[in-house]
Amino acid sequence: MLAPMNLFRTIHERRELLWNLAARELKQRYRGSVLGFLWTVLTPLFMAVIYLFFLRLLAGRGVPMEEIIIGVFAWQFTVQCANAGTTCVLGSANLVKKVAFPLEILPLSQVLANAIGHLLSLLVQFPVLAFLLWRADSHFAAAWPLFFFWVAWQTMFNLGITALVGAANVYFRDTQHVVGLVLSAWFFMSPVMYNMDFASRLAGQWPWAADLLYANPLTVIINGYRAALLPGAHAGFPPAAWVGLLLAPATLIVGTVVYRRFQNSFADML
Amino acid sequence: MNAIEAVNLGKRYYRRGGLGAASLFGALTGRSGPKREPFWCLRGVNFEIPVGRTVGVIGPNGSGKSSLLGLTAGTIHPTEGHVRVQGRISSLLELGAGFHPELSGRENVFLNAALLGIPREDVKKKFDRIVDFAELREFIDMPVKHYSSGMYVRLGFSIAVEVDPDVLLVDEVLAVGDLSFQFKCLDRIRDFQKRGKTLLFVSHSLETVEEFCHEALLIHHGQLVARGEPAEVIRKFIRFFMGERGGLHQTEYGTRAAEFGDVRLLNAAGNPCETFETGGALTVEIPYVAHRRIEKPVFGFSLKTANGLYVFGTNTQIQKHDIPFIDGAGTVRLALDPLRLMHGNYFLSLSMHSWDHVEQFHRREDWWPFAVQNPTGALGMLQLDSRWSQQA
């Protein structure tokens, strides 16, 4: 439990470095590309259209576009953080070996950069959603401020993943390949391009599969996003969802404990 | 008060096997590849450096010098013991290590300072001085990937010294940039010393250590083998690691038709000695054994500084001192009187060859180290005969 507390102290004491590294990350991501930041929103929007199309084509029934958009944006946030985890320590080998600074800053700055990117993408996501809702003669749900609670919750979860992946990849370079595989499987096990209604038929057949789906932190988070913004979207909250909900802070604790346990040897391993 | 304190400091690496398994497969199957082979790159190192002192670390390659600096800087962590540093520390372990190629010089200054833990407000105040010192005013908004290597290290050095640390760690980086910038660097280091800052620095340039340091640490095989007066420690280093033990540039060759025996360096009183005085006498006693009769052999000698600069060399042929022949054992004496070398460490080389230079019998290059101390107060490399006169 102590590790996340220390994390907050590092965040506070080295906030300037954190901002600097996050800014560096964002700047280099968009520097040299014509569309720059637009890619952060164009990619998920295109993905949403592709998913919508193929889901209709393959499954024969659809999921509302608004729900897919929310799902894809949220999914992208976690994917970016997991991928950042594979490079956050390895990619800064020179820094780790030659400069003394709290190494927790590396995953922290990556997650911060991605969280800023995620929040900025809302500037596009929200108007698009508002437009889609307006066309359906609807509007944002009254619970929309809850959306930001879920952003915070997901950020916490992502930080755990980034730290865990970052530390593991220093010791086992296999991690980056495993992460790729896990992400592909995880994508289908999370309600990104579908919603809980869509999955309910499956749940009727295999109740344990539904429990498993709810125990996935991303399920709870994406359901949370959707329920906060969309008036029609109400996912249930069965007991298994508590597991999914609490797995987020648990991941943060495990991630930071593991990271702190091994960070002193990073410079020796690179 | 001590600025740096190391207690029983030790760092272990593995020659093979690494800290963990190299692959996930290895970890899962419990096989970590070849058997782990630990070695201590530093062990049982104890020292303390009082505030305001400049201490040089010397030793052969791979002796653990850089690890010592890394441990002090906190980039690597000790396996046992600890090292404590008082005050803000800035390290010149690698100049521009924290630079990001895509960012401009300006952005990198702030990023680098943030890594060192300097508040942004302070950096803003010092920004102009940093840029001016690095002489990069017109390039500061260019991405550093377009910088020349000289510009890169200049900016790195400038940041590291302008952030005004209490303790500065320097690893072999004083020779950056062109000559004029090197002078500025050394000048800045002297300025540091004047303001009572603590410096720990690693260098292979023994002259630099001798010139700048109050004290020197000699490290070999991860152990602190000597500490004290720089000149003293450097001499020990030269004697042990460059002299008898097969040193850095020491070479020996020849047909061995005649061989040198146990050569001794003697002072004015005729006693074996390693330190001589400028203006005093140095006699080299050269016992030899000729395994066959050799007509008109030539004996030669040369002197080099510890940095390899050729100071002087001559032989019996050039000096027209004919030796008719040698056969069996004998002794040759070479007198340098007065000794015109100034303060520093030197190497003596000796050779024996045939009169027509066809056969090299025995040659020992850089074999005998010795030191010269200069009590006169005159400066430079050689004592020249000089006289003054004045007319009103």
Side-chain angles (χ1 to χ4, degrees):
Chain A
M1 275 312 279
L2 219 64
M5 289 298 118
N6 285 332
L7 207 60
F8 287 124
R9 209 176 59 206
T10 307
I11 293 172
H12 179 72
E13 283 172 6
R14 304 304 296 267
R15 53 191 183 279
E16 283 187 15
L17 178 58
L18 200 52
W19 278 114
N20 256 297
L21 285 174
R24 167 181 111 166
E25 181 61 32
L26 288 172
K27 275 178 196 163
Q28 84 173 78
R29 198 177 291 175
Y30 304 120
R31 198 163 281 192
S33 67
V34 179
L35 293 180
F37 171 73
L38 275 181
W39 282 115
T40 312
V41 290
L42 284 180
T43 316
L45 283 178
F46 279 126
M47 294 315 281
V49 172
I50 294 168
Y51 296 149
L52 183 79
F53 178 74
F54 278 96
L55 206 59
R56 287 243 166 94
L57 195 73
L58 295 174
R61 60 208 178 91
V63 170
M65 183 66 176
E66 307 91 79
E67 299 205 14
I68 296 185
I69 287 178
I70 290 174
V72 172
F73 272 88
W75 171 250
Q76 179 180 251
F77 182 25
T78 293
V79 167
Q80 281 173 341
C81 289
N83 285 332
T86 63
T87 55
C88 71
V89 183
L90 283 190
S92 304
N94 209 19
L95 225 54
V96 173
K97 288 170 80 124
K98 297 294 178 187
V99 187
F101 66 101
L103 295 181
E104 301 102 286
I105 293 287
L106 293 173
L108 276 171
S109 64
Q110 291 287 340
V111 172
L112 178 61
N114 284 317
I116 292 170
H118 185 51
L119 287 175
L120 286 176
S121 74
L122 298 182
L123 295 177
V124 176
Q125 193 190 341
F126 277 16
V128 171
L129 289 177
F131 173 73
L132 289 173
L133 286 172
W134 168 77
R135 262 191 20 170
D137 258 348
S138 181
H139 49 79
F140 280 132
W144 69 267
L146 266 180
F147 186 90
F148 295 96
F149 165 77
W150 291 109
V151 172
W153 204 256
Q154 192 184 6
T155 306
M156 175 173 71
F157 176 57
N158 288 353
L159 180 56
I161 291 176
T162 308
L164 201 60
V165 170
N169 206 28
V170 175
Y171 283 82
F172 311 110
R173 305 292 152 94
D174 317 53
T175 308
Q176 50 210 2
H177 305 290
V178 174
V179 166
L181 281 176
V182 168
L183 283 177
S184 338
W186 197 8
F187 173 75
F188 290 101
M189 293 193 293
S190 310
V192 178
M193 61 174 178
Y194 56 87
N195 58 16
M196 301 317 278
D197 285 343
F198 194 88
S200 59
R201 192 188 297 168
L202 177 88
Q205 258 176 310
W206 301 297
W208 57 267
D211 282 347
L212 208 62
L213 188 60
Y214 272 110
N216 172 0
L218 270 188
T219 305
V220 179
I221 290 165
I222 294 174
N223 284 346
Y225 281 143
R226 286 171 179 162
L229 292 186
L230 309 175
H234 284 296
F237 203 85
W242 282 104
V243 177
L245 184 73
L246 295 177
L247 263 179
T251 307
L252 176 68
I253 291 168
V254 171
T256 42
V257 166
V258 168
Y259 191 88
R260 290 182 75 95
R261 163 80 179 72
F262 290 106
Q263 65 178 0
N264 283 0
S265 316
F266 284 174
D268 302 332
M269 299 294 296
L270 295 171
Chain B
M1 202 177 70
N2 289 329
I4 305 174
E5 235 176 71
V7 179
N8 191 32
L9 196 60
K11 177 75 185 170
R12 183 182 55 204
Y13 282 106
Y14 291 95
R15 213 164 268 148
R16 273 185 294 169
L19 282 173
S23 69
L24 193 57
F25 176 77
L28 291 177
T29 54
R31 264 183 296 183
S32 54
K35 203 166 165 281
R36 291 164 121 207
E37 227 183 90
F39 85 99
W40 291 84
C41 80
L42 271 184
R43 189 149 208 202
V45 173
N46 290 287
F47 65 86
E48 64 294 321
I49 298 173
V51 168
R53 299 272 280 182
T54 301
V55 175
V57 183
I58 58 174
N61 282 329
S63 56
K65 300 185 299 288
S66 295
S67 298
L68 178 66
L69 232 55
L71 287 167
T72 311
T75 52
I76 54 176
H77 297 264
T79 313
E80 58 180 35
H82 66 262
V83 54
R84 215 175 269 129
V85 180
Q86 294 281 334
R88 189 155 70 194
I89 187 166
S90 172
S91 64
L92 298 176
L93 298 191
E94 191 170 301
L95 293 174
F99 284 176
H100 194 279
E102 296 288 338
L103 301 186
S104 71
R106 182 187 301 274
E107 289 163 320
N108 268 307
V109 168
F110 284 98
L111 177 62
N112 222 288
L115 275 168
L116 294 170
I118 317 295
R120 194 177 174 83
E121 286 308 307
D122 289 12
V123 187
K124 268 186 189 156
K125 274 182 225 146
K126 289 174 179 150
F127 185 79
D128 285 327
R129 288 185 52 181
I130 292 173
V131 176
D132 288 340
F133 187 81
E135 300 163 16
L136 287 171
R137 175 64 59 190
E138 61 266 53
F139 299 107
I140 198 64
D141 287 310
M142 188 165 91
V144 298
K145 66 178 174 186
H146 298 311
Y147 277 24
S148 73
S149 53
M151 292 157 80
Y152 205 83
V153 293
R154 255 151 54 199
L155 191 60
F157 184 93
S158 188
I159 296 168
V161 298
E162 287 294 341
V163 296
D164 201 28
D166 303 306
V167 176
L168 185 66
L169 307 177
V170 185
D171 189 358
E172 204 67 79
V173 286
L174 286 182
V176 299
D178 56 18
L179 204 60
S180 80
F181 191 74
Q182 284 182 30
F183 281 128
K184 273 174 76 175
C185 291
L186 294 177
D187 198 51
R188 190 46 59 103
I189 298 286
R190 282 201 195 86
D191 186 49
F192 256 84
Q193 292 181 313
K194 264 185 233 149
R195 287 187 293 143
K197 309 280 183 173
T198 311
L199 269 90
L200 180 64
F201 90 72
V202 163
S203 182
H204 281 294
S205 162
L206 301 174
E207 255 75 12
T208 316
V209 171
E210 194 166 340
E211 190 183 339
F212 278 97
C213 298
H214 300 116
E215 192 179 355
L217 307 178
L218 173 55
I219 295 200
H220 184 52
H221 288 319
Q223 311 263 325
L224 182 60
V225 286
R227 65 176 293 187
E229 275 291 303
E232 199 78 17
V233 175
I234 288 169
R235 212 139 45 234
K236 219 170 254 179
F237 173 48
I238 290 173
R239 205 164 54 236
F240 281 111
F241 305 113
M242 295 176 165
E244 291 99 338
R245 290 200 193 168
L248 300 175
H249 20 253
Q250 193 182 46
T251 48
E252 178 176 26
Y253 49 95
T255 60
R256 306 296 182 91
E259 283 183 288
F260 291 120
D262 192 9
V263 171
R264 297 195 302 168
L265 275 61
L266 308 174
N267 61 14
N271 297 321
C273 189
E274 280 164 345
T275 308
F276 300 86
E277 281 198 354
T278 306
L282 163 59
T283 304
V284 187
E285 188 184 81
I286 311 163
Y288 63 85
V289 180
H291 299 298
R292 60 176 162 84
R293 185 183 164 94
I294 297 167
E295 304 289 339
K296 294 194 277 180
V298 179
F299 283 77
F301 84 100
S302 73
L303 292 173
K304 285 183 205 156
T305 65
N307 277 2
L309 182 74
Y310 202 123
V311 180
F312 184 75
T314 188
N315 61 34
T316 50
Q317 199 169 41
I318 295 168
Q319 293 195 282
K320 305 217 174 355
H321 178 90
D322 287 335
I323 299 172
F325 69 92
I326 51 171
D327 193 4
T331 304
V332 167
R333 280 195 181 73
L334 163 70
L336 298 167
D337 187 11
L339 184 64
R340 295 185 184 280
L341 300 174
M342 301 287 268
H343 188 88
N345 290 294
Y346 297 89
F347 287 101
L348 171 71
S349 308
L350 290 175
S351 73
M352 234 189 304
H353 55 82
S354 62
W355 65 275
D356 53 1
H357 292 255
V358 167
E359 188 179 359
Q360 185 80 246
F361 302 125
H362 197 182
R363 188 180 184 96
R364 284 186 156 169
E365 202 77 43
D366 300 333
W367 205 268
W368 298 274
F370 64 96
V372 178
Q373 279 172 351
N374 170 24
T376 65
L379 302 172
M381 241 183 79
L382 283 174
Q383 195 187 42
L384 302 180
D385 288 331
S386 47
R387 270 178 299 279
W388 302 85
S389 60
Q390 192 218 357
Q391 280 174 319

